[in-house]
Amino acid sequence: MSTLVVYFSFDGNTKFIAEIIAKTMNADIIELKTSKQYPTEGFSKYFWGGKSVIFGDKPKLINDHIDLNPYETILIGTPVWAGSYTPPIKSFIHQYELQGKRIALFASHAGGGAEKCFAKLKVTS
Ligand SMILES: Cc1cc2nc3c(=O)[nH]c(=O)nc-3n(C[C@H](O)[C@H](O)[C@H](O)COP(=O)(O)O)c2cc1C
């Protein structure tokens, strides 16, 4: 059965992991992209990123429509932002029907919060 890796990555760490997972599992891979541009440096990067998590932003995804029908298993990857998953992942799980799929989660972080992030993602999805 086919597997899809869907991920968001801001600085490349999650992308690095996602590509290794996809290659190892012979899975398809899709990087989520948004029209919203977050500041890439300094305090603003953390402020705007953290703020959009806290306010529950669901930025518009600019990917072409993703056909999930061929996939039995979907691996979702995200950086940890403010102890949670990133807004583009929120957009994805709200936009797409994941009922009946086998879901696995992976995250990269700078020191902690992955368990909390996974717990929130499980509740949401
Ligand atoms: C807005 C923002 C918030 C973050 N919040 C956390 C956090 O709560 N806990 C943590 O361990 N790392 C946090 N980080 C660090 C990222 O999770 C870490 O650098 C991650 O590997 C980045 O993945 P990426 O390179 O795929 O974007 C944060 C980074 C940003 C930009």
Side-chain angles (χ1 to χ4, degrees), residues 8-15 45-46 49-50 79-83 108-113:
F8 172 74
S9 182
F10 195 60
D11 286 328
N13 298 334
T14 314
K15 181 186 183 79
K45 170 178 167 179
Y46 293 91
V80 174
W81 277 10
S108 73
H109 58 78

Side-chain angles (χ1 to χ4, degrees), residues 48-90:
W48 288 107
K51 183 171 158 284
S52 37
V53 171
I54 289 161
F55 282 91
D57 281 4
K58 293 195 284 289
K60 184 172 167 42
L61 300 176
I62 55 171
N63 301 75
D64 290 338
H65 177 76
I66 304 169
D67 181 9
L68 297 180
N69 284 324
Y71 303 106
E72 184 193 31
T73 303
I74 300 171
L75 288 87
I76 301 173
T78 180
V80 174
W81 277 10
S84 189
Y85 53 94
T86 45
I89 298 296
K90 193 174 189 102

